[in-house]
Amino acid sequence: MARNRFDVDENLESPFDIKHFRRAMIYIRRKKKPMIIAFLLSALSAAIALSAPLIMQHVVDVTIPAKAKLPLLGWSALMLLTIVSSVYLATIRSRIMTRVGQDIIFDIRTDLFTHLQELPFKYYDDRPQGKILIRVVNYVNSVSDVLSNGIINFILEIVNLIFIAVFMFAVDVRLSFVILAGLPVFLGIMLLIKTRQRRAWQAVSNKSSNLNAYLQESITGIGVTQIFSREQHNEGIFTRLADNFRKEWMRALKLNTLIPFTVDNLSTMVTAMIFLVGLLTLSPQDMTFGVILAMSSYAARFWQPILNLSNLYNNFINAVAYLERIFETLDEPVTVSDIAGAKELPSIQGRVTFDNVTFAYDPGVNILENISFDVSAGESIALVGPTGAGKTTVVNLISRFYNLTGGRILMDGQDISQVTLKSLRSQMGIMLQDSFIFSGTILDNIRYGRLDATEEEVVAAAKAVCADEFIREFELGYLTEVNERGSKLSQGQRQLISFARTLLADPRILILDEATSSIDAKTERLLQKGLNELLKGRTSFIIAHRLSTVKNCDRIMYVSNKGIAESGSHEQLIAQRGHYYRLYTAQKMEA
């Protein structure tokens, strides 16, 4: 699919609107109390700071001309007190909002991770992992400040503007209108660039996602890269993606810097106009120097909140591009889930029935069509056939990793779509072709699916699959730490640990998808001895390309042409001299 590439921009399926912002407010309301306290502290700090120009005006117009030294010291001490108090209150507020911001990050990230755990396989089939990771980590970091400090600061700056306007008009009405004269110009520029800004930051979001996806892919496949000496070529791809990101970032930043540039210049021009109007057009009787000085100070203070608001607006535009992606992920439907009124699947015997099952990954392109078969409890079934025929799809449908396109699958006579996923999968042991090892100890990895298992039970499972011997060769044995994906282990060792993990769950139905593909022939023979005992009483589905490993199964199904082309025991299928016979004969000749 086009979306499953690192070099293809993701199309935004749910553009940002006001409902997204209302959803974001849910996280803000959870921290309502500390945010109110922070706002009150900010308002008090701002009010104290605004008294400074009035003190300055009085000192210039009254205290200094009167040469009153003692009052001058008093007013200086009061000015110092306003500065210290304002800074102290702002510091407390900053500490509160830092905690609030981190709490919001925690809440959003937890909701994202919880939702990602529930999304079906198809969601991950369609996207590079890097494009998912960047939403949970980078994008959440990017929006946290806007959802915490941004809201408080926006309200505070509005209040500041009102306070400053009141103080300005109380000092001089005429010069106040001079200060306000630059607002129409500022608002006009904002309206002109707002749409371009949003699109620019959406582009930055896309290029950042692409870069992260390729980086994650490159790290995961570094071994293959070095084997084929692709370092230089891959560097070229990375450089191109990084350059695309740089260009979009610079384009977006140019639009962002236009606003503070405008505010700074308007503030300078307005201040100049105050001195021009105050000194050249008004008489000394109408306008004292202290008033002009106070109004120039208020002019700077008036345009500072506007600059702050414009920066907040920039940050909001940036955050919108990320919020869109975050909420798009949270809105991704959990298509494979418990239906309303789903029942717990009781302890099963292991009978599995496919009743006219049809399945397609993409609409209109069926992988399986009208498949029907019945597997008795305790029966071992081998699924063989050409690559891409649908063998893995069959076992994925038994596990209900995907919803059926048509038909139904029964387990002990119960439709698996009508029972809870947990009660279904808890009775299944599934070992996929890719043996994934988590970071942690070998003991933790084996016990991953059954946390209450004792150490003795873990060791017993490892012995059954011939993993105990190599585990004990490590200095710390079962307490040996392994890296993510088990890089310290061979592929065969990783598969044996995964096997032990699956068997420890004591499942009623066992699914093995190429489970022994990376184990040497000697180990496989030893493993088969243990498996023969463990498979007794369990229904098992085994996928294997090496037919020698499945010839003893109760039944072999040859999957081809969207269905089951042949079914029977090894001897029966050989006697039919059909698909299975030709495949088995070809492998025997190659051996």
Side-chain angles (χ1 to χ4, degrees):
M1 291 185 182
R3 297 180 68 189
N4 195 21
R5 289 179 59 88
F6 60 80
D7 57 350
V8 176
D9 293 343
E10 294 178 287
N11 293 322
L12 189 63
E13 297 176 358
S14 54
F16 187 87
D17 57 34
I18 193 63
K19 71 179 181 181
H20 289 90
F21 188 70
R22 286 199 294 267
R23 288 178 64 181
M25 291 298 292
I26 294 172
Y27 297 99
I28 296 169
R29 283 196 291 269
R30 294 175 186 172
K31 310 302 173 186
K32 181 170 60 177
K33 184 177 179 180
M35 290 182 76
I36 290 174
I37 294 172
F39 171 74
L40 293 175
L41 290 174
S42 298
L44 182 58
S45 173
I48 292 172
L50 285 173
S51 64
L54 292 178
I55 295 173
M56 183 172 58
Q57 177 193 348
H58 181 81
V59 169
V60 171
D61 286 346
V62 179
T63 307
I64 292 178
K67 298 181 180 180
K69 295 182 180 180
L70 191 59
L72 182 61
L73 290 174
W75 285 115
S76 299
L78 183 60
M79 177 72 85
L80 179 62
L81 181 61
T82 62
I83 295 172
V84 172
S85 301
S86 179
V87 171
Y88 177 70
L89 292 173
T91 301
I92 297 176
R93 177 259 192 191
S94 178
R95 290 179 179 176
I96 293 173
M97 292 313 299
T98 298
R99 180 175 292 277
V100 167
Q102 288 302 309
D103 287 344
I104 290 175
I105 285 178
F106 175 82
D107 289 347
I108 297 177
R109 191 167 285 151
T110 300
D111 287 350
L112 271 172
F113 182 78
T114 300
H115 190 65
L116 286 170
Q117 295 284 292
E118 298 172 352
L119 289 177
F121 277 17
K122 191 176 188 309
Y123 177 79
Y124 299 96
D125 293 340
D126 292 350
R127 291 162 180 80
Q129 295 177 12
K131 292 192 177 186
I132 300 172
L133 291 174
I134 197 171
R135 299 185 183 204
V136 181
V137 182
N138 302 54
Y139 290 178
V140 174
N141 286 340
S142 298
V143 304
S144 66
D145 194 57
V146 171
L147 296 183
S148 54
N149 279 308
I151 301 297
I152 290 291
N153 288 338
F154 180 81
I155 298 172
L156 179 64
E157 298 302 346
I158 296 294
V159 173
N160 272 347
L161 278 175
I162 295 172
F163 281 175
I164 294 169
V166 169
F167 276 84
M168 285 193 315
F169 279 93
V171 174
D172 190 270
V173 175
R174 294 163 298 183
L175 294 182
S176 296
F177 281 112
V178 173
I179 295 173
L180 295 175
L183 274 180
V185 177
F186 170 73
L187 294 175
I189 292 174
M190 290 284 286
L191 289 173
L192 283 174
I193 68 170
K194 71 171 187 175
T195 302
R196 293 176 60 194
Q197 270 188 299
R198 180 171 178 267
R199 289 174 180 170
W201 284 107
Q202 282 180 343
V204 170
S205 171
N206 276 329
K207 301 311 178 187
S208 174
S209 180
N210 293 347
L211 182 63
N212 195 73
Y214 185 69
L215 181 61
Q216 190 274 337
E217 180 181 293
S218 297
I219 292 173
T220 303
I222 190 64
V224 178
T225 296
Q226 294 182 355
I227 288 171
F228 289 95
S229 300
R230 279 259 310 194
E231 293 90 344
Q232 189 171 355
H233 182 79
N234 288 4
E235 182 182 343
I237 296 174
F238 183 83
T239 301
R240 174 170 56 83
L241 294 172
D243 189 52
N244 289 340
F245 173 74
R246 179 184 62 82
K247 288 176 180 177
E248 294 298 343
W249 177 271
M250 294 302 297
R251 187 176 292 115
L253 205 61
K254 285 177 183 178
L255 292 171
N256 269 24
T257 54
L258 183 61
I259 293 177
F261 172 80
T262 301
V263 172
D264 284 341
N265 282 279
L266 285 174
S267 176
T268 302
M269 287 188 286
V270 165
T271 303
M273 287 298 295
I274 288 173
F275 283 96
L276 184 65
V277 172
L279 294 176
L280 299 182
T281 65
L282 299 176
S283 65
Q285 291 77 20
D286 292 334
M287 189 70 58
T288 66
F289 183 69
V291 170
I292 295 174
L293 197 60
M295 291 302 291
S296 66
S297 177
Y298 279 128
R301 289 171 183 268
F302 178 81
W303 282 95
Q304 186 59 47
I306 293 179
L307 177 60
N308 293 341
L309 284 171
S310 65
N311 288 333
L312 287 172
Y313 175 77
N314 281 342
N315 292 337
F316 178 73
I317 292 296
N318 302 356
V320 162
Y322 301 131
L323 279 171
E324 288 167 335
R325 300 299 185 187
I326 290 170
F327 287 132
E328 184 184 47
T329 303
L330 287 173
D331 289 339
E332 190 70 34
V334 181
T335 54
V336 180
S337 61
D338 296 340
I339 65 169
K343 300 177 181 179
E344 293 288 318
L345 180 66
S347 181
I348 60 174
Q349 295 300 311
R351 181 182 177 187
V352 177
T353 303
F354 272 54
D355 181 15
N356 205 33
V357 169
T358 296
F359 176 75
Y361 290 104
D362 299 311
V365 185
N366 290 341
I367 303 299
L368 303 173
E369 284 185 353
N370 305 317
I371 291 183
S372 296
F373 61 80
D374 189 76
V375 177
S376 302
E379 190 175 4
S380 60
I381 303 296
L383 298 172
V384 302
T387 300
K391 302 183 294 297
T392 298
T393 300
V394 170
V395 295
N396 282 341
L397 295 179
I398 296 172
S399 312
R400 206 183 157 212
F401 289 141
Y402 300 89
N403 289 325
L404 300 181
T405 305
R408 59 180 185 157
I409 297 175
L410 307 177
M411 198 161 290
D412 281 9
Q414 296 197 53
D415 190 338
I416 64 172
S417 68
Q418 306 297 312
V419 301
T420 63
L421 289 172
K422 184 174 182 180
S423 65
L424 169 68
R425 293 175 184 168
S426 64
Q427 301 189 62
M428 304 180 69
I430 306 167
M431 184 173 171
L432 301 177
Q433 188 171 356
D434 182 19
S435 303
F436 194 91
I437 299 296
F438 297 89
S439 57
T441 65
I442 293 176
L443 181 70
D444 291 336
N445 268 279
I446 297 176
R447 198 155 49 189
Y448 186 84
R450 187 182 157 198
L451 299 177
D452 61 344
T454 65
E455 189 170 343
E456 290 74 19
E457 290 173 320
V458 171
V459 172
K463 286 181 177 178
V465 299
C466 304
D468 179 71
E469 183 178 348
F470 84 80
I471 292 173
R472 292 190 183 279
E473 290 178 357
F474 291 116
E475 185 177 352
L476 298 178
Y478 285 85
L479 298 180
T480 300
E481 292 280 344
V482 290
N483 297 332
E484 179 186 354
R485 303 191 70 86
S487 59
K488 291 183 178 179
L489 304 170
S490 69
Q491 177 63 24
Q493 290 172 332
R494 290 198 294 270
Q495 282 196 302
L496 289 175
I497 289 174
S498 297
F499 226 138
R501 178 169 59 200
T502 301
L503 295 175
L504 181 64
D506 193 23
R508 301 308 306 159
I509 295 178
L510 192 62
I511 295 175
L512 308 177
D513 187 350
E514 290 294 334
T516 60
S517 61
S518 296
I519 299 174
D520 59 80
K522 178 182 177 183
T523 304
E524 185 179 2
R525 286 193 296 271
L526 293 172
L527 176 61
Q528 195 64 46
K529 294 178 181 179
L531 283 179
N532 289 336
E533 291 299 319
L534 289 165
L535 292 177
K536 286 181 180 179
R538 290 187 175 88
T539 306
S540 58
F541 291 85
I542 304 170
I543 298 174
H545 287 293
R546 293 204 303 259
L547 300 185
S548 59
T549 63
V550 298
K551 55 190 285 186
N552 293 325
C553 288
D554 297 324
R555 199 182 339 165
I556 298 171
M557 295 182 181
Y558 190 95
V559 183
S560 179
N561 297 323
K562 305 179 182 180
I564 307 299
E566 294 178 350
S567 178
S569 67
H570 172 73
E571 290 76 15
Q572 291 171 336
L573 295 181
I574 290 295
Q576 289 181 20
R577 304 179 72 85
H579 298 290
Y580 179 79
Y581 171 79
R582 287 191 291 273
L583 182 63
Y584 182 78
T585 303
Q587 284 194 8
K588 198 170 182 181
M589 290 177 63
E590 290 174 1

